[in-house]
Amino acid sequence: MLLRLIQGIALGGEWGGAVLLATEYAPKGLRGLYGSVPQLGVPLGLVAGSFSLTIISFLTTEAQFMAWGWRIPFLFSAVLIVLALWIRSGIDETPAFQEQKESGEIVNVPIVETFRNNGRNVFHVIGLKLGDGFFNVFLMSFILVYATSYLGYGNERALTALTIGCATMIITIPLIGYLSDFIGRKIIYMTGLALMFILAIPYFTLVGNGETWLFVMQAVMLGVLWGAIFSTQGTLFSELFPANVRYTGLSVGYQLAAAIVGFGPMLWTTMAESYGPSPLVFGGFMMVFLTLSFVLSIFVPDTRKISTYESKMDQTAGM
């Protein structure tokens, strides 16, 4: 438990930094595409993990796999950590940070400054994330329990469905990220939330109607719709904060929302025990939070052209 908490703290800080390194270095007009690249880590990591476990299980007996085989992919991740540290050591601070440093506008206590002048945006980010966040935790985590314990699928079928959804995301994320630079991130975000709302009850109805529907709906809901939302999230949320508190505002808002939706599996276990795999109950739960996020997304500015990323000089010239 302690190690998992440490891992969560580390990841919570790392994600925001990865997004800002991508977006603050992005060429003009390609911020959405660059901001979508760090989001690829989620589906790539899960697909690679599933693939490596499949190989290990093929090369070992069931007893060997349960005893030590499953540890091999985890140990191999140490190689990736060394590679990441090597890459990071060769990257300079972003131009936006350098500009703040040279002008003497670096904030001594960013968390205080964030809530003092940008607290509204932090809570805005939390609300924007809750709708897709709960559905995401279900689609990428609890679906394994839901499909095997309540719908009668085998572990292999449930894992295959999850892998198909993540593999679809690998295609969706960069395509939608690139598209957002032309039509804006707000319209993509709102469209994704609306379609997830419309398909919430059909999703829970169809996944129990055979493995083909399970595979299809995971590809649609996780791979296409949530992939589209997720591809724009890092860029959209970061565009709400000025450079001096952008890292803190982005990370705190996103990770507080992630902590809230992390209680989803406990709620869904209770719901399943009380009502079974009811599409109305589970779909209705998702629809409540999707509605909240959709309403809040209406008030998000269209930051495709002018946002907090543009310098004061650029904004003045554009007036």
Side-chain angles (χ1 to χ4, degrees):
M1 177 68 73
L2 177 61
L3 291 176
R4 290 290 287 175
L5 288 171
I6 294 173
Q7 185 183 44
I9 292 171
L11 178 61
E14 179 70 8
W15 175 81
V19 169
L20 294 189
L21 277 173
T23 56
E24 292 186 354
Y25 267 119
K28 187 175 181 62
L30 290 177
R31 192 184 304 137
L33 173 61
Y34 276 60
S36 71
V37 172
Q39 310 296 66
L40 282 170
V42 173
L44 284 173
L46 197 144
V47 170
S50 298
F51 182 68
S52 62
L53 285 173
T54 300
I55 293 176
I56 297 300
S57 64
F58 178 76
L59 296 175
T60 60
T61 65
E62 183 176 354
Q64 291 172 330
F65 180 82
M66 295 303 294
W68 52 266
W70 64 271
R71 300 177 188 271
I72 295 176
F74 288 91
L75 295 174
F76 183 73
S77 66
V79 177
L80 299 179
I81 293 173
V82 173
L83 177 62
L85 289 172
W86 174 71
I87 294 173
R88 185 61 61 84
S89 66
I91 299 177
D92 295 327
E93 293 290 354
T94 65
F97 180 83
Q98 292 288 3
E99 183 180 341
Q100 291 288 316
K101 187 175 181 180
E102 292 171 2
S103 63
E105 297 180 15
I106 296 294
V107 179
N108 292 326
V109 187
I111 187 68
V112 174
E113 181 68 18
T114 299
F115 279 98
R116 177 185 297 148
N117 296 317
N118 294 274
R120 180 179 178 182
N121 284 335
V122 172
F123 290 107
H124 202 159
V125 167
I126 294 173
L128 286 170
K129 179 62 186 172
L130 289 181
D132 77 281
F134 272 114
F135 225 139
N136 165 240
V137 171
F138 187 97
L139 293 168
M140 291 194 70
S141 176
F142 196 74
I143 183 60
L144 299 177
V145 175
Y146 187 82
T148 56
S149 299
Y150 303 107
L151 299 181
Y153 292 107
N155 289 327
E156 183 180 345
R157 293 292 182 268
L159 283 170
T160 300
L162 177 56
T163 303
I164 289 173
C166 287
T168 306
M169 284 173 61
I170 295 173
I171 301 172
T172 304
I173 287 176
L175 286 178
I176 298 299
Y178 182 67
L179 181 63
S180 75
D181 287 317
F182 295 92
I183 68 173
R185 285 163 275 286
K186 178 177 179 177
I187 185 65
I188 292 174
Y189 204 90
M190 293 182 69
T191 301
L193 291 172
L195 290 175
M196 291 191 86
F197 178 92
I198 293 170
L199 292 176
I201 292 177
Y203 168 80
F204 287 101
T205 301
L206 292 172
V207 293
N209 289 346
E211 63 182 47
T212 300
W213 277 113
L214 176 63
F215 297 158
V216 169
M217 294 308 293
Q218 279 293 110
V220 171
M221 295 296 283
L222 176 60
V224 178
L225 298 185
W226 189 74
I229 293 172
F230 190 54
S231 71
T232 64
Q233 243 168 24
T235 309
L236 177 65
F237 292 172
S238 67
E239 288 172 325
L240 299 177
F241 298 95
N244 62 342
V245 296
R246 186 175 293 142
Y247 198 150
T248 303
L250 170 65
S251 297
V252 170
Y254 188 94
Q255 301 305 337
L256 282 176
I260 294 171
V261 300
F263 289 98
M266 288 183 281
L267 297 173
W268 299 324
T269 299
T270 301
M271 287 162 52
E273 291 175 350
S274 301
Y275 304 102
S278 169
L280 290 176
V281 172
F282 279 86
F285 177 94
M286 301 300 177
M287 291 169 73
V288 169
F289 290 97
L290 285 167
T291 300
L292 171 64
S293 293
F294 184 85
V295 171
L296 289 174
S297 68
I298 295 174
F299 302 99
V300 172
D302 185 356
T303 55
R304 178 172 60 94
K305 296 181 179 179
I306 295 295
S307 74
T308 58
Y309 273 72
E310 276 64 53
S311 68
K312 296 175 183 177
M313 184 179 299
D314 292 337
Q315 292 190 30
T316 301
M319 291 181 179

